[in-house]
Amino acid sequence: MSALPTQRWSKLEIGFWLIPMVAFFVFPKYLTLGSQILIAALFALSLDLILGYARIISLGHAAFFGIGAYTAGLLAKYGWGEPISGLVAAAAVATLTGLVTSFLVVRGQDLTRLMVTLGIGLMFYEIANQASWLTGGVDGLSGVEMKKLFGVFSFGLDGRTAYLYSLAVLFVVFCFARTLVRSPFGLSLRGIREGERRMPAIGASVPRKLIAVYTVGAGIAGVAGALLAQTTQFVGIDSLGFPRSAELMIMLILGGTGYLYGALLGAALFMLLQDYLSNLNPVYWQFWLGLLLVLIVLFARGGLMGGFIALRRRFARGRS
Amino acid sequence: MRSSLFVSRRAVVASVLAATVGLSTSGIAWAADPLKIGLILPLTGPFASTGRQIEAACRLYIARNGDIVAGRKVELIVKDDTGAPETTKRIAQDLIVQQKVNILAGFGLTPLALATASVATEAKVPMVVMAAATSVITTRSPFIVRAGFTLPQVTAPIAEWALKNNVKRVATLVTDFGPGLDAEKTFVKRFTEGGGTIVESIRTPLQNPDFAPFLQRVKDAKPDALFVFVPSGQGTAVMKQFGDRGLAAAGIKLIGTGDVVDDDILDAIGAPALGVVTSFHYSAAHPSPENKAYVDAFMKANNGMRPNFMSIGGYGMHLIYEAEKKTGGSNDGEKLVEAMRSMSWTSPRGPVSIDPATREPVQTV
Amino acid sequence: MLGNFIGVLFDGVAYGSLLFIISIGLSVTMGLMNFVNLAHGAFAMVGGYACVVVMTRLGVPFLASLPIAFVAAAAAGIVLERSLYRRLYRATHLDQVLFSIGLVFMSIAATTYFFGPQQQPVQLPEFLRGQVHVLGLDLGTYRLFLIAVVIIITVALTWLIERTRFGAEIRASVDNQQASAGLGINVYRVFSLTFALGSGLAGLGGGLGIDVLGLDPTFPLKYMVYFLLVVAVGGAGTIKGPLFAALILGIFDVAGKYYVPQVGAFVIYVAMVVLLIVFPHGLAGRRT
């Protein structure tokens, strides 16, 4: 790893990003599901930054998602329904919260971090629950009224605006994350991942870098939450809850950590599977989902991306 | 990108399926197109039992009353929302956009119904709320009609009962969510207006494994009675602890809405359930011929599962059937809601009617 | 006032005891075998349902159903260890998480299929119900029973791991698999038995817990946080650590709910975060 990795986009990547655009025209009836997949992908991306690149296992990441969602939702409820400034505000609040809590998270090992993040997440959940005069408590925040995007496109039943809006935000944030992980900062994170104790020897402050990446991850999660609040015009308290953090973790591991694309693939596969299976059998679909997860672990270590890379390697070896 | 190919192939299959379904229904549209009812319920997760009861009741209603109403075939499309509001809303949108459902029904919890209210308004589709019991729900959309119950309806009578039966000091214990707060508010208001005192108001978290400390606090406050409201399923724990902690022995009466003695879980509670005073709109033991027939049919169709108060909300399918009959098989959401207003009938829970102004059910408690 | 306090302390210890029984199995698999088994609650659920089935269908008394719960969960543990878990000992923790979550989903759906989504009934025998008066205090009989069970389990486990040949084999296999195999220890058999022990303890906890925690198909997910909490705060791989952790958390939780019910749910999380920040490796964890 002598030179910086290239920032150029490969054909495979460009092809990947064409898929959601083509999907918009091919599946006009599935755009609501599509927009929620895109939001989940963005959320998974934010966790990949901190889990895939900094090896901080977080089971409380939904805290930032929920904070973003409540920020955007409350702004819109009390008259500030302009979507893009709502996103920015949500990102700011989530980033700040991320920064404040990051100091608690940086200490300790895997299991400790897991539980500290979990504990922080549960505390935010309780706060939202107690402050029901503001958040609506367990009944959720309703009455979120969005203005038209750019004053032109309204968020309607067909989900067109929601889909394109989510896709655009996902792409912009993805470009940012991609640049980040390929920068010198991103490389030093990779160094931490591979050998946390060796990094100080080459003059890198580990905690400060971890704090930075945790904060960025929190901010992006906030954007994802805000997107969900804006496109569904409702914020449920479950957006802060532990099940959401756990589900997110499943999506990311399913896709493979530390590639960015793994997050997107994992979220898409998980959501599509869930939708498909629960349509087949609304009562026992979880069984088949669980079985698939088990099979994937048994046959493709490191998630979809891990399996994909192993396959490619085998293919290349077969040719040479 | 092998995996992304996989994803899109799955989606292609799904869309082809959807397209064929769309074709076949539009083909016979000229005759009488089927009446599509989208039933959205939590069928997995912690509130699964609510969903199962309602689904079973809806199916039972169709089985007993035929699947043709006003010349239209009834198609029930059951979906699982896992209890997450954005999923409920998405499914409602999908059902309307993809399947063109005529009526939305189900809704196990307040936030799920609230999140979907805007969909009903925008699509002008009637939304029959069968379980979610917070009183604000029907105010959120003119297309919402409730087939279940609201908490103020069922809590007020228990407050009056307490006043009449020489209960002066009461502690309340409710779960900290919409319906719980509704129940607490109504009870406290009625009870204090009638001259009673509230010695303690405790709200327990929704995910609460152990009621012991809360009940100990109640016991130490020495009230005449304890008013309890917890979601269906937690009643067992409260009742058992109430008995084991010796609250009953200390002369404290347990009063509450029927949730605590949910028919579905009576077996799990056992002896302590005797001697509890509750007020509710339904019990499987209600001695009317309609109810007896209902309970027998329900248990027969569901492998011995006893119907509970949630299932009766599902039996609100009646509302949909009658509205269709009245409007001659209309698809017009406004007309259907209009027809559902001011309806009255004899259900297994006794006589019920819908209040034309609030679209809430009026029933004997 | 003092009476109240002792009562709260007693309830806290009893509640902590229950947390300990259910979680100690996880400490065994996670600490000794280095396997993140999020499906731990599924084994507890197997035990719980085994209890209910033999009690309601075969009329077995409650106390006799507890060993059955242990055996049922341990048997399920051995079968799954031999067929599936064994393949994943060398996988990353993340793969283990995904795998065991998959198992949790399957167990929830399968349980719903066979038993329905509702709470399961359990009828305690008369002598475990109600309260006993000790020195002017009302103590719950069942809670006293829980505390007694914990004392027995702790003593037995400590003896098993520190005093028996099997315990020595476990400790050796954990420290160095290759060297242990070279010394003639059948490492695979030791791991199978350890896993069965952990699962069996979970099953026992599941059976004991029905009366307090309830039992329905979502059990493994609902209480997953609590298992992890006890093991993380206590430090995986020890018996004393999780015991202290469970007791402390139990007392804090009960006291919080009793004295400040408005913020009752906070207390246990705050206690956990504070404990973890002060003891990042767990109360009895080995410092690295």
Side-chain angles (χ1 to χ4, degrees):
Chain A
M1 280 209 285
S2 49
L4 284 180
T6 163
Q7 295 277 4
R8 282 227 333 255
W9 292 68
S10 73
K11 276 185 199 144
L12 211 55
E13 289 183 274
I14 296 169
F16 179 88
W17 283 100
L18 284 176
I19 296 171
M21 290 185 217
V22 173
F24 177 77
F25 296 102
V26 182
F27 308 116
K29 287 182 170 176
Y30 290 86
L31 293 181
T32 315
L33 175 63
S35 64
Q36 292 191 0
I37 292 177
L38 295 170
I39 293 168
L42 180 61
F43 188 26
L45 184 75
S46 73
L47 184 66
D48 197 20
L49 279 181
I50 65 169
L51 174 60
Y53 287 88
R55 274 285 172 261
I56 299 176
I57 300 185
S58 168
L59 259 186
H61 207 50
F64 307 113
F65 184 86
I67 286 169
Y70 275 113
T71 309
L74 284 169
L75 277 177
K77 181 172 184 173
Y78 293 107
W80 189 265
E82 201 284 309
I84 293 181
S85 52
L87 277 191
V88 174
V93 176
T95 307
L96 192 68
T97 324
L99 181 66
V100 173
T101 52
S102 67
F103 296 96
L104 302 174
V105 173
V106 174
R107 286 173 60 96
Q109 295 299 312
D110 280 2
L111 186 60
T112 316
R113 282 175 179 162
L114 182 96
M115 295 315 291
V116 170
T117 49
L118 176 69
I120 292 170
L122 292 171
M123 278 194 254
F124 276 110
Y125 181 95
E126 270 314 309
I127 291 171
N129 189 18
Q130 298 278 335
S132 56
W133 53 272
L134 182 68
T135 61
V138 182
D139 288 344
L141 181 73
S142 48
V144 175
E145 283 183 23
M146 295 312 299
K147 296 241 168 64
K148 289 177 179 171
L149 185 63
F150 304 124
V152 185
F153 307 105
S154 63
F155 292 97
L157 268 187
D158 57 11
R160 293 166 70 93
T161 314
Y163 185 87
L164 291 178
Y165 178 48
S166 308
L167 181 57
V169 173
L170 173 64
F171 186 69
V172 170
V173 175
F174 182 84
C175 290
F176 166 71
R178 189 176 177 278
T179 315
L180 187 75
V181 299
R182 289 168 187 236
S183 69
F185 171 72
L187 284 185
S188 64
L189 283 179
R190 208 167 289 187
I192 294 174
R193 187 175 72 185
E194 259 125 53
E196 186 160 346
R197 261 173 256 151
R198 261 173 287 156
M199 286 308 278
I202 55 171
S205 157
V206 174
R208 202 174 292 169
K209 292 215 155 63
L210 292 182
I211 286 172
V213 74
Y214 189 79
T215 308
V216 171
I220 297 178
V223 174
L227 270 183
L228 185 70
Q230 294 181 340
T231 55
T232 60
Q233 317 199 356
F234 185 84
V235 185
I237 195 162
D238 63 299
S239 62
L240 281 166
F242 164 69
R244 191 176 295 263
S245 300
E247 202 174 271
L248 176 75
M249 181 83 103
I250 297 170
M251 291 181 192
L252 179 59
I253 303 173
L254 181 63
T257 56
Y259 307 98
L260 296 185
Y261 281 102
L264 310 189
L265 282 175
L269 180 64
F270 186 84
M271 299 273 293
L272 286 174
L273 272 178
Q274 189 172 6
D275 188 62
Y276 181 73
L277 292 174
S278 69
N279 280 343
L280 286 186
N281 186 336
V283 183
Y284 306 115
W285 59 273
Q286 282 186 334
F287 183 84
W288 305 109
L289 182 70
L291 185 63
L292 273 165
L293 295 183
V294 169
L295 291 177
I296 283 176
V297 177
L298 289 178
F299 295 108
R301 295 285 159 77
L304 292 178
M305 287 300 281
F308 172 63
I309 286 169
L311 252 170
R312 212 162 70 158
R313 209 174 284 152
R314 190 179 294 176
F315 187 59
R317 209 183 297 147
R319 261 201 311 205
S320 61
Chain B
M1 301 253 73
R2 175 179 160 274
S3 3
S4 55
L5 270 181
F6 173 67
V7 167
S8 51
R9 200 184 309 140
R10 184 49 59 73
V12 169
V13 171
S15 74
V16 169
L17 276 177
T20 44
V21 169
L23 276 180
S24 62
T25 53
S26 60
I28 52 159
W30 54 271
D33 39 277
L35 175 70
K36 290 190 176 179
I37 303 172
L39 187 64
I40 314 175
L41 294 165
L43 291 168
T44 56
F47 297 98
S49 91
T50 303
R52 291 286 288 278
Q53 285 270 349
I54 295 176
E55 189 201 344
C58 289
R59 290 201 189 281
L60 178 65
Y61 186 88
I62 294 175
R64 290 175 82 194
N65 294 277
D67 59 355
I68 310 277
V69 63
R72 307 176 68 181
K73 180 137 177 54
V74 177
E75 250 182 61
L76 197 62
I77 305 171
V78 181
K79 297 276 184 182
D80 172 28
D81 62 16
T82 70
E86 82 264 15
T87 314
T88 316
K89 185 175 178 186
R90 189 191 83 215
I91 292 172
Q93 275 174 283
D94 286 351
L95 283 173
I96 289 168
V97 174
Q98 294 167 18
Q99 317 245 19
K100 308 243 175 308
V101 295
N102 309 103
I103 288 166
L104 293 171
F107 307 102
L109 294 168
T110 304
L112 309 182
L114 290 180
T116 318
S118 63
V119 177
T121 315
E122 202 179 330
K124 296 196 169 40
V125 168
M127 174 171 154
V128 180
V129 176
M130 293 175 164
T134 321
S135 49
V136 293
I137 294 173
T138 44
T139 64
R140 293 300 162 85
S141 165
F143 288 90
I144 296 180
V145 179
R146 195 195 303 273
F149 61 98
T150 69
L151 280 153
Q153 272 178 354
V154 291
T155 39
I158 195 73
E160 324 239 293
W161 180 90
L163 289 167
K164 271 188 217 135
N165 287 274
N166 210 20
V167 173
K168 295 278 183 299
R169 295 157 40 84
V170 170
T172 63
L173 182 134
V174 301
T175 300
D176 193 0
F177 71 143
L181 302 186
D182 251 20
E184 184 194 273
K185 205 166 84 191
T186 317
F187 182 86
V188 169
K189 184 158 174 284
R190 285 288 177 100
F191 191 64
T192 46
E193 274 173 7
T197 26
I198 301 290
V199 291
E200 186 82 58
S201 278
I202 297 174
R203 294 171 183 177
T204 65
L206 193 54
Q207 291 281 345
N208 183 48
D210 187 11
F211 284 96
F214 296 120
L215 287 172
Q216 186 62 44
R217 196 174 163 91
V218 169
K219 189 181 179 190
D220 295 342
K222 297 191 176 61
D224 298 332
L226 169 66
F227 171 81
V228 174
F229 176 86
V230 291
S232 165
Q234 290 188 3
T236 330
V238 176
M239 302 281 306
K240 280 188 169 169
Q241 287 292 320
F242 188 84
D244 285 356
R245 291 249 130 203
L247 272 78
I252 302 170
K253 287 192 188 71
L254 182 59
I255 57 178
T257 61
D259 303 47
V260 253
V261 284
D262 186 343
D263 291 301
D264 195 14
I265 54 172
L266 265 182
D267 296 332
I269 300 173
L274 301 170
V276 178
V277 182
T278 61
S279 107
F280 218 33
H281 58 292
Y282 181 72
S283 156
H286 180 58
S288 75
E290 285 90 356
N291 185 46
K292 197 167 171 338
Y294 171 73
V295 173
D296 289 349
F298 191 98
M299 289 177 74
K300 209 157 118 198
N302 292 289
N303 205 5
M305 178 163 91
R306 205 180 301 177
N308 72 358
F309 66 98
M310 285 297 181
S311 81
I312 283 298
Y315 218 64
M317 282 291 283
H318 186 74
L319 209 58
I320 298 172
Y321 267 54
E322 290 303 311
E324 281 294 325
K325 280 183 201 157
K326 244 194 202 169
T327 56
S330 172
N331 266 340
D332 186 323
E334 279 163 6
K335 274 192 197 150
L336 287 173
V337 173
E338 199 48 54
M340 287 181 197
R341 293 176 179 211
S342 69
M343 203 175 270
S344 63
W345 70 95
T346 306
S347 104
R349 57 181 155 178
V352 181
S353 61
I354 299 288
D355 183 329
T358 59
R359 303 180 305 282
E360 296 279 16
V362 180
Q363 51 201 318
T364 327
V365 178
Chain C
M1 204 58 220
L2 185 67
N4 284 353
F5 179 70
I6 294 171
V8 166
L9 211 58
F10 171 76
D11 280 337
V13 170
Y15 182 50
S17 302
L18 189 61
L19 288 180
F20 172 75
I21 300 172
I22 295 195
S23 317
I24 182 63
L26 185 62
S27 174
V28 170
T29 45
M30 212 141 124
L32 296 183
M33 305 170 67
N34 197 21
F35 195 105
V36 184
N37 181 20
L38 294 187
H40 183 73
F43 293 103
M45 184 165 72
V46 168
Y49 275 96
C51 258
V52 170
V53 168
V54 296
M55 280 170 69
T56 53
R57 305 218 175 132
L58 306 177
V60 175
F62 177 71
L63 287 183
S65 77
L66 291 176
I68 296 175
F70 180 91
V71 172
I78 284 216
V79 170
L80 283 173
E81 199 273 342
R82 294 257 156 133
S83 55
L84 295 173
Y85 277 89
R86 176 168 291 180
R87 300 159 192 265
L88 291 166
Y89 285 146
R90 286 168 200 282
T92 61
H93 279 173
L94 292 183
D95 278 334
Q96 293 172 350
V97 164
L98 196 61
F99 166 79
S100 49
I101 278 281
L103 282 187
V104 169
F105 283 157
M106 289 168 75
S107 72
I108 291 178
T111 314
T112 315
Y113 182 80
F114 288 112
F115 298 96
Q118 69 277 19
Q119 291 280 339
Q120 292 298 321
V122 61
Q123 208 62 52
L124 292 181
E126 214 38 60
F127 61 89
L128 286 178
R129 313 206 52 141
Q131 295 186 308
V132 284
H133 295 273
V134 181
L135 305 172
L137 288 170
D138 292 336
L139 303 180
T141 319
Y142 190 65
R143 282 165 198 258
L144 274 175
F145 173 68
L146 283 179
I147 295 173
V149 172
V150 161
I151 294 171
I152 296 169
I153 288 182
T154 313
V155 172
L157 264 186
T158 316
W159 174 77
L160 182 73
I161 291 190
E162 287 177 10
R163 293 269 181 274
T164 64
R165 188 180 162 75
F166 176 62
E169 285 183 355
I170 294 181
R171 281 176 290 136
S173 305
V174 169
D175 282 343
N176 191 333
Q177 283 194 30
Q178 279 182 332
S180 313
L183 287 171
I185 297 175
N186 185 343
V187 176
Y188 276 118
R189 199 182 62 103
V190 169
F191 272 29
S192 281
L193 289 176
T194 315
F195 194 84
L197 176 68
S199 314
L201 287 170
L204 179 63
L208 283 167
I210 306 174
D211 194 61
V212 180
L213 304 176
L215 182 67
D216 65 272
T218 58
F219 186 92
L221 269 187
K222 218 181 340 186
Y223 296 112
M224 187 193 289
V225 171
Y226 289 86
F227 312 143
L228 288 172
L229 210 143
V230 170
V231 175
V233 172
T238 63
I239 295 166
K240 261 183 248 150
L243 179 62
F244 286 135
L247 293 181
I248 291 174
L249 291 169
I251 292 169
F252 266 102
D253 193 44
V254 170
K257 284 172 175 169
Y258 182 83
Y259 289 110
V260 274
Q262 302 79 15
V263 293
F266 271 121
V267 178
I268 192 164
Y269 306 136
V270 175
M272 171 181 89
V273 170
V274 170
L275 283 171
L276 280 174
I277 285 169
V278 180
F279 304 99
H281 300 280
L283 292 177
R286 283 179 274 188
R287 272 168 204 277
T288 44

